Amino acid sequence: MDTSAGVLIAGAIGAVIGAMVTYLWRYSERQQHTVDEPTPVVPAGAELVLSVLSSSAVLIDSADTVVKASAPAFAMGIINDDRLEPDELMGLVRQVRRDGQVREADISLQPKRGTTAYIHARVAPLTSRLILVLADDRTREQRVESIRRDFVANVSHELKTPVGALNLLAEAVGEAKDDPEAVVRFSSRMHLESERLTRLVQQIIDLSRLQNDILSDDATVVKIGELVSEACEHSATEAEHKDIEIVTSLEPDLFVHGDRAQLHAAVSNLVENAVTYSPSGSRVTVTAQLTDDDVRLTVTDNGIGIPGDELDRIFERFYRVDPARARATGGTGLGLSIVKHVAASNGGSVEVWSEPGLGSSFTLVLPAHNEDMEEEHA
């Protein structure tokens, strides 16, 4: 074979190899482009749906990793990095993944700071790989229900005392029918217990009307001087009996806009408490003044005072600093709670200062009503 033939054959072989390499490269390119793309983990449109749900929504993949979550879910605190918390909620997810059954449960969250939160969780399979978790914050509902239960229990307990006393006194009157002095004594006790029962029932009714802290439809312009005068008159008999002087110091022409009956109850409760818990021969002072745009009505006594660790609780329903003393004086433990709700219902607040042995000072702060401005706008 001569040299030219060898070159020709070598060139032909090179051309064939080159063509094969080119074909294989192009085939590989086509294969890469024609391979089916993997199905996305999160279905199309799922993110939009999650964003409009009222519930906190979380998507969990097969590796127990959070792949999508709505903003409320982060705010609720059920996601830590890319993991779902708490363990009880994660346990529901694993159960649903095993059998595909929808599950729901009430779960409590114990944050590192703050109070316990309560959620209602519903867990369901979304795809073969994804689990959907829906969580609703039920903390407020749980607290309302707890308050309702406590309120019912406390009311039942408080009603038992005067009702039981009336039953015993009625029996005593029947047994002492031949002893006129005993009948008079027991009848007087029955009258006191019936008054206590009437006051308790009325305060329960007042509190039930105030619990939403919403301004009453009966709101009108109220003169502070008239409220204070009526409240002092209400406690005048008890104050005279204990030789307690009630002193008033009011700026003239102070007005507020609110429910007169509610405000009367609040001021009367403050004055009555001051007289009740003050020693004989002392003084109760009622002042009212305009500060900026608020009327500040303060009732001060020289009574037993309240320990500092009790101040945060005195506005709770049925709470008493000294239960034995409250029973002796006929206190129901509802007066200050009514004052607090009246203040909130009329756009104001209540402040307290107290020192054991020195006395207490309660201030009802209410938005002032300017009659001159009202006339200008009219």
Side-chain angles (χ1 to χ4, degrees), residues 4 12-13 39 102 113 115 129 146 171 183 200 310 313 334 345 353-354 359:
S4 60
I13 292 173
T39 303
V102 177
R113 294 181 180 178
T115 58
R129 299 174 59 186
S146 177
E171 292 177 5
V183 170
L200 175 59
E310 305 276 357
R313 301 195 60 192
L334 291 175
S345 296
W353 170 91
S354 188

Side-chain angles (χ1 to χ4, degrees), residues 265-282:
V267 178
S268 294
N269 273 320
L270 289 179
V271 176
E272 182 179 354
N273 279 356
V275 171
T276 299
Y277 293 101
S278 291
S280 299
S282 61

Side-chain angles (χ1 to χ4, degrees), residues 36 43 57 99 103 107 161 175 191 223 277 293 325 333 339:
D36 292 337
D99 56 23
R103 285 182 170 81
I107 298 172
T161 302
E175 294 174 357
H191 181 67
K223 188 172 184 178
Y277 293 101
D293 295 325
R325 184 182 178 93
V339 172

Side-chain angles (χ1 to χ4, degrees), residues 238-247 274-284 301-303 325:
E238 178 67 15
E240 184 178 350
H241 177 71
K242 297 179 65 175
D243 192 27
I244 292 176
E245 182 184 11
I246 301 179
V247 180
V275 171
T276 299
Y277 293 101
S278 291
S280 299
S282 61
R283 171 183 293 184
V284 169
D301 63 58
N302 302 115
R325 184 182 178 93

Side-chain angles (χ1 to χ4, degrees), residues 64-82:
D64 291 343
T65 302
V66 175
V67 293
K68 284 291 179 183
S70 61
F74 289 96
M76 187 179 288
I78 59 175
I79 298 175
N80 184 11
D81 293 332
D82 60 350

Side-chain angles (χ1 to χ4, degrees), residues 159-175:
L159 288 175
K160 283 181 181 179
T161 302
V163 171
L166 286 171
N167 286 333
L168 292 174
L169 289 169
E171 292 177 5
V173 168
E175 294 174 357

